[in-house]
Amino acid sequence: MSKRVDLHRRNLLKITGLGASGFVLADAAQAAQSYPAPSKVDTGSVEGGKVKFENWRAPADTPSGPPPVPMPPSKRVGFAIVGLGRLALEEILPAFGESKKAKPAALVSGTPEKLKAVAHQYGISESACFDYAAFDRVRDNPEIKAVYIVLPNAMHREFVERAAAAGKHVLCEKPMATSSADARAMIAACEKAAVKLMVAYRIQYEVYNRRLAKFVREKTFGRLLGMSATNVQTVAENGAEQWRHKRVMSGGGSLPDIGLYCLNTARFLTGEEPVEIFAYTVTPPNDPRFADVEETVSFQMIFPSGFIANCFTSYGGRDDKHHRLNFEKAVADMPNAYLYAGQRLTVTSRSGDATSREEIVLKPKNQFAAELDHMADCILQNRKPRTPGEEGLQDQMLMEAIYESAKTGAPVKLKASDTLDAFRGPPLSDED
């Protein structure tokens, strides 16, 4: 380095207050005196152990929500994840990273190599990893407070009953079972063991669908007349090999897998139960993918208020997951209604002498994290889940009515419910 360049560097460091290493030479007291004291808007305040910030935006902007309030890991509810298929690895286990009250505590799988790899990824000890034969040993692990069953539908009953016998609370993927008889047995087993049973109806915890339900319940746009609900996707040519295409494992085709979203959402949005169902099924001949289960189901449900839901589900068409609600004074559209993420909500209505189309933008939440936190909170607070076993049983009975109508070609009459949300637990709070 030349003397001239070195002198210039020394002068620059002197002017900026930096030493030769680039660190600040001024002491902490001098540095503190050179800055104004932070305002309460910047620092926030602590109330009841929670950090709160004043709104710093002008009224024209939407205020930001409060910061997350996660529980310390030692106090979170530990879950054993039973079944390490696509849903568990792609959605459920990653969702624990966004959970505030739940944590993965154990893994159960029938594939040893996969079990070992996933346990390493999530820091699960070898002693907390089980195969299906050793599942009952979850009883001896106090870190496990609940199990999340993510197995093929036909296996749900067995593992719900085994989890209940082990004294663990149960979160079970939808559909709850392959028959209403199995669903009843699962409820009875959990009641006998005094453990909670929740069915993973993630749509009931998703923020846009919850806002839509609020519009319906509060009659924001007047009376709800009808709903069209579509849940369609395709199946690869080797689809016949999948367990979903074996009736003994799945209980049916597109209806219990993806059509159930249309069915359950129509019930959840209104709080009503259908009094009549009429259905058709269509299955292409000579297609090995549908040798044992149906491809397409179209069904209509009529509710006590006069509300009509027209639902369509299929394994035979390009991915489409959408519903539209026709109100007295508006039309609400929700593309991507049943996806894991990416929901949108637009409302078309009159605005003076013109037609307006408003898109409602909400802060999204991970649906699986919301489910996990709700179940964890129910365990911590000893509350009944919003989507208990009775909710799953009702859907099983309604799907049986859909298949019966499609088989006979006649509508199926159903008993009316005297109350709204007859099969659900207490409503969710704004913080849920």
Side-chain angles (χ1 to χ4, degrees), residues 395-419:
D395 276 339
Q396 292 294 150
M397 296 173 65
L398 293 176
M399 286 191 290
E400 289 170 0
I402 289 170
Y403 282 132
E404 179 185 346
S405 176
K407 181 178 179 180
T408 64
V412 174
K413 301 287 186 180
L414 303 164
K415 182 181 179 180
S417 174
D418 297 330
T419 60

Side-chain angles (χ1 to χ4, degrees), residues 14 225 235 322 398-399 402:
K14 183 177 181 180
L225 285 80
V235 177
H322 174 274
L398 293 176
M399 286 191 290
I402 289 170

Side-chain angles (χ1 to χ4, degrees), residues 91-335:
E91 303 295 337
I92 295 170
L93 278 165
F96 280 101
E98 298 183 54
S99 169
K100 295 179 290 185
K101 300 178 181 181
K103 64 182 180 181
L107 301 173
V108 183
S109 174
T111 309
E113 289 185 1
K114 181 167 61 174
L115 182 62
K116 182 178 180 180
V118 177
H120 177 72
Q121 292 165 3
Y122 286 91
I124 306 295
S125 67
E126 184 178 349
S127 63
C129 293
F130 311 94
D131 60 20
Y132 296 129
F135 169 77
D136 305 292
R137 286 167 46 202
V138 299
R139 174 191 292 107
D140 304 320
N141 188 331
E143 282 291 304
I144 303 169
K145 304 298 183 185
V147 300
Y148 190 161
I149 296 174
V150 202
L151 295 167
N153 306 340
M155 300 174 70
H156 288 181
R157 174 179 174 175
E158 175 190 347
F159 280 86
V160 165
E161 291 177 337
R162 290 172 69 180
K168 306 300 181 181
H169 302 288
V170 183
L171 176 56
C172 180
E173 259 305 320
K174 46 65 55 190
M176 181 178 176
T178 55
S179 71
S180 59
D182 280 358
R184 288 189 180 91
M186 293 157 70
I187 293 170
C190 290
E191 288 179 345
K192 180 180 179 181
V195 298
K196 301 183 189 304
L197 173 58
M198 172 177 158
V199 183
Y201 286 116
R202 58 183 173 80
I203 297 301
Q204 296 200 35
Y205 303 91
E206 191 279 318
V207 294
Y208 282 95
N209 279 289
R210 287 180 62 184
R211 179 60 60 90
L212 197 53
K214 185 176 182 180
F215 289 157
V216 175
R217 307 296 183 96
E218 296 181 356
K219 293 184 167 53
T220 305
F221 307 112
R223 183 168 64 94
L224 176 64
L225 285 80
M227 171 183 181
S228 60
T230 299
N231 200 348
V232 171
Q233 64 192 43
T234 58
V235 177
E237 291 301 319
N238 64 352
E241 301 172 11
Q242 300 178 23
W243 67 261
R244 286 181 175 82
H245 289 251
K246 297 176 173 63
R247 184 173 294 274
V248 68
M249 294 300 291
S250 63
S254 61
L255 177 61
D257 185 19
I258 57 177
L260 178 56
Y261 288 107
C262 305
L263 167 62
N264 186 263
T265 303
R267 297 177 49 242
F268 143 69
L269 292 176
T270 63
E272 296 185 61
E273 297 300 329
V275 293
E276 183 175 307
I277 286 179
F278 185 64
Y280 291 97
T281 60
V282 175
T283 300
N286 304 319
D287 189 328
R289 295 174 299 175
F290 307 110
D292 202 29
V293 298
E294 81 282 350
E295 177 204 57
T296 300
V297 185
S298 177
F299 59 100
Q300 184 180 79
M301 299 185 291
I302 301 176
F303 293 77
S305 65
F307 162 66
I308 298 175
N310 290 296
C311 305
F312 180 79
T313 186
S314 179
Y315 277 153
R318 172 69 173 82
D319 188 89
D320 185 21
K321 303 178 186 303
H322 174 274
H323 55 228
R324 169 178 291 173
L325 273 64
N326 295 97
F327 294 91
E328 183 182 1
K329 300 176 183 177
V331 177
D333 275 292
M334 187 179 289

